[in-house]
Amino acid sequence: MRGCHSLKEFHVYLLDQYFSMEAGAQAAKFANDFNVTWGKQNVNITSGRRGDVVTLKLTKEKGGAGFRSLSPFLYGQFSMKMKLIKGNSSGTITTFYMSSQDNYKKWCEIDFEFLGNVSGQPYALQTNVYIQGVGNREQQIYLWFDPTAAHHTYRFLWNQELILFFVDNRAIRVFHKATDLGISYLDYQPMYAIGSLWNGEAWATEGGRVKIDWTQQPFVASYTQWNVTDSCKVQNATGTAGQHACYKKAHQSSYGQAPNLALSKTQIKNLRWVRKNYVIYDYCTKNATATPECARNWP
């Protein structure tokens, strides 16, 4: 319970512990849900008390690594516990994201990207939303804790009305469906759950000014207690039957029904708290054409 300084924070802590226990019980084995897609020599999988722990490593000689869910999904909740690189991690990028990946013409993606930092500096988390191949919706925030000291939970809620980003059950970003404003929504393209660690020194730290210090290698991040069970797997990613089944399931599942179709008072308060205290960069202040969607997505 370390770090909880109020009754409200304690309640958030309890919710996170409950969600973590559920994730550990339901998604214990890496091979049941994921496979390694690149950098196999840099992946280590060990069994832990609450399931497998997957460690990714980045070195100058052998590069990084990544893994992907066995199936794509359409709507649901997707969470991962992650512990980031200790010490000087400048130039590295550690990720957990959802991506269509196999459909480049209609590329869709929702991202957690953790940008490496110089030792002693706060970690930056970048989120983004790609729809039909168009991104440019980056938001960066500082995390309010040390993400290298222990595993923390990062979660997406994606349904037919909104996409919510959570850190330890605290809402940090929302993207509402706004087709009435002429803005496309991510409601047609199945996506995979993906994790990776790679060299992003061209832009990751201070816009690429600070490069990777290879004397600090290997750079190591770990993943555990993932949960993709409260979601809909698309059984046939190339046809429409699987997608229609997931649309139907969304309206019958907790993630696609109230209260998950709109922001709660607590989530609104969390989003305002993040905006006031932790935002580094927000595309909404740089792109005048984004004003309609930004007005809807920042309560």
Side-chain angles (χ1 to χ4, degrees), residues 77-221:
Q77 297 205 65
F78 312 88
S79 73
M80 187 76 71
K81 272 188 168 287
M82 299 172 61
K83 183 163 67 172
L84 304 184
I85 300 165
K86 287 184 176 292
N88 185 350
S89 58
S90 59
T92 67
I93 298 178
T94 309
T95 73
F96 169 48
Y97 63 106
M98 307 289 297
S99 175
S100 59
Q101 208 162 59
D102 291 336
N103 191 335
Y104 291 96
K105 292 182 179 180
K106 295 184 177 180
W107 185 281
C108 292
E109 194 168 291
I110 49 178
D111 302 331
F112 283 119
E113 294 179 318
F114 301 89
L115 311 184
N117 65 346
V118 178
S119 298
Q121 299 299 313
Y123 242 96
L125 166 58
Q126 176 166 289
T127 57
N128 203 355
V129 179
Y130 282 81
I131 302 175
Q132 297 187 30
V134 179
N136 301 319
R137 295 184 174 94
E138 295 92 348
Q139 291 179 355
Q140 290 183 13
I141 66 169
Y142 284 127
L143 294 172
W144 52 92
F145 54 86
D146 180 1
T148 72
H151 289 90
H152 288 263
T153 303
Y154 306 92
R155 174 164 57 104
F156 299 109
L157 167 64
W158 168 33
N159 61 35
Q160 61 273 31
E161 293 296 330
L162 55 76
I163 300 165
L164 261 173
F165 299 71
F166 294 90
V167 174
D168 288 340
N169 273 309
R170 189 189 296 271
I172 65 159
R173 179 173 184 177
V174 66
F175 185 85
H176 286 282
K177 184 175 183 177
T179 52
D180 59 308
L181 299 177
I183 300 164
S184 299
Y185 185 67
L186 210 165
D187 57 1
Y188 62 90
Q189 182 63 56
M191 297 196 295
Y192 293 87
I194 301 170
S196 64
L197 172 60
W198 47 285
N199 178 349
E201 66 178 1
W203 64 273
T205 307
E206 297 184 24
R209 187 182 67 82
V210 182
K211 305 299 183 181
I212 293 178
D213 180 359
W214 293 110
T215 66
Q216 304 296 311
Q217 67 178 339
F219 302 98
V220 177

